[in-house]
Amino acid sequence: MQLNPLLHAELVTGRRQSALIDLWSTTGFAAAVSEVTGPHLYEFGELPVPTVAITLYDVRRHVLIENGRVRRDAPVSAGRFRIGQPGRNVVVDAVPEVLSGKLVLLYLGETLLKEVGAARGSADSVVLMDKAWDTEDPMLEISAKRLVEASENGCRPNSLLAEQIAYTLALHMSDRYAVTGSRKSERVPTLDEVMYERIVEFVQVDPGAPVTLAEMAKVAGMSPSCFIRTFKQSAGVTPHRFVVEQRVLAARRLLATSDLPIAEIALAVGFSSQSHFGVAFRAVTGESPARYRRLQRGHG
């Protein structure tokens, strides 16, 4: 794809995009969000890659035109999505029911689709079905809403979480919407104790260092998409949650044995801020960092 996906989204919507996730150059995935205000003509042009559009608002009239012919003229309910096929010239004429709403666009490049295909035992890229806003998918809707919330709160996903979202969504799409013949699947390998301990050691060596899904997968000798499925099945948590728990574990040791300020401990174990650290610490332990320190020193 020659065109930057976020630039494409801006050209389509006529509005500046918020880059929710931009892993295009490394993973082949990008997610953008646009605010819709009133009727709008979306000229997608010739789609360069499979593009998932998720409307988070009700549309009173929605005309989908492909290669100059009307394919669908009907309302669209909030949360419904479309899988646009590459190579088709697409125009959408939409009249929303609301004054303002969010449109999320997911771009799935060849790199990502080939990686997911390999995880499913195929030498070919996954090919997605042709969908036109007729399908309800709670996972896609919830994922889109959470991405929008993160964008509005200024809490963009870190690199590890962004990678995890990209592969999780791609695996979900391939599970449910791959065309016949591209659904081949191999048995998900298990993560044995030795390999699990290697991953624990890799993360614990320097809890404050950035960690990517690709690096963790390399330690396990797997592809990223295979690793994310294997790790969740074997460890019971996602790779991102695992890293957060390991960082909280390192922070607990520092809180109990050092007099370092909590803000310094937060940065030392890889959190972007003290507030982010506090939220994660409480989620894992049920206590705030300050209370945990007091309890460890006998000051209830």
Side-chain angles (χ1 to χ4, degrees):
M1 173 182 176
Q2 298 298 317
L3 185 63
N4 181 296
L6 299 178
L7 177 58
H8 178 261
E10 290 184 4
L11 292 174
V12 167
T13 62
R15 295 172 173 82
R16 185 169 180 78
Q17 294 297 307
S18 175
L20 298 178
I21 298 177
D22 186 2
L23 298 173
W24 192 252
S25 62
T26 56
T27 305
F29 178 84
V33 61
S34 179
E35 184 169 357
V36 175
T37 54
H40 190 79
L41 185 68
Y42 298 90
E43 297 188 34
F44 285 82
E46 187 172 300
L47 295 177
V49 297
T51 305
V52 181
I54 308 168
T55 58
L56 297 179
Y57 55 94
D58 291 326
V59 185
R60 182 186 317 152
R61 188 178 182 210
H62 195 284
V63 183
L64 170 64
I65 304 170
E66 288 186 341
N67 295 336
R69 300 181 63 181
V70 174
R71 174 178 171 182
R72 184 178 186 275
D73 184 350
V76 174
S77 299
R80 298 298 171 95
F81 72 97
R82 160 175 162 73
I83 304 175
Q85 298 298 313
R88 296 185 188 177
N89 193 289
V90 176
V91 176
V92 171
D93 188 1
V95 181
E97 287 279 10
V98 294
L99 296 177
S100 178
K102 300 292 185 181
L103 171 70
V104 175
L105 297 174
L106 308 178
Y107 293 85
L108 283 69
E110 178 68 16
T111 301
L112 181 63
L113 294 175
K114 191 169 185 62
E115 162 69 30
V116 172
R120 301 203 153 280
S122 172
D124 301 319
S125 302
V126 168
V127 178
L128 298 177
M129 294 177 181
D130 189 359
K131 292 285 184 179
W133 279 291
D134 296 311
T135 308
E136 182 178 6
D137 188 314
M139 179 175 172
L140 282 182
E141 181 179 3
I142 291 170
S143 297
K145 287 179 177 178
R146 288 182 175 172
L147 285 171
V148 169
E149 289 172 3
S151 174
E152 292 174 339
N153 295 334
C155 301
R156 303 288 174 81
N158 59 36
S159 58
L160 175 60
L161 182 55
E163 286 180 305
Q164 183 173 294
I165 290 170
Y167 286 113
T168 298
L169 287 176
L171 287 166
H172 173 73
M173 296 296 292
S174 68
D175 278 342
R176 299 195 61 176
Y177 309 112
V179 300
T180 303
S182 64
R183 293 174 182 261
K184 295 178 183 178
S185 181
E186 60 182 7
R187 182 180 62 84
V188 178
T190 57
L191 199 67
D192 61 36
E193 187 175 344
V194 173
M195 193 58 66
Y196 178 79
E197 289 303 321
R198 285 183 188 173
I199 295 169
V200 171
E201 182 180 0
F202 171 74
V203 175
Q204 288 185 346
V205 163
D206 185 358
V211 177
T212 68
L213 192 64
E215 290 170 340
M216 295 177 73
K218 187 176 180 180
V219 172
M222 301 177 187
S223 68
S225 56
C226 184
F227 175 74
I228 195 171
R229 298 173 71 211
T230 298
F231 193 88
K232 178 67 164 62
Q233 180 173 293
S234 301
V237 294
T238 64
H240 177 258
R241 174 71 180 188
F242 170 78
V243 171
V244 169
E245 290 179 352
Q246 293 302 310
R247 287 174 172 169
V248 167
L249 179 62
R252 289 169 63 182
R253 289 193 288 265
L254 289 173
L255 287 167
T257 61
S258 79
D259 293 319
L260 286 172
I262 291 176
E264 289 187 24
I265 291 176
L267 297 177
V269 298
F271 290 96
S272 59
S273 66
Q274 183 173 340
S275 61
H276 182 205
F277 169 57
V279 170
F281 193 92
R282 186 183 292 275
V284 174
T285 68
E287 304 283 356
S288 69
R291 177 164 171 74
Y292 179 84
R293 172 174 267 176
R294 290 196 301 271
L295 290 171
Q296 292 302 303
R297 301 184 181 190
H299 305 300

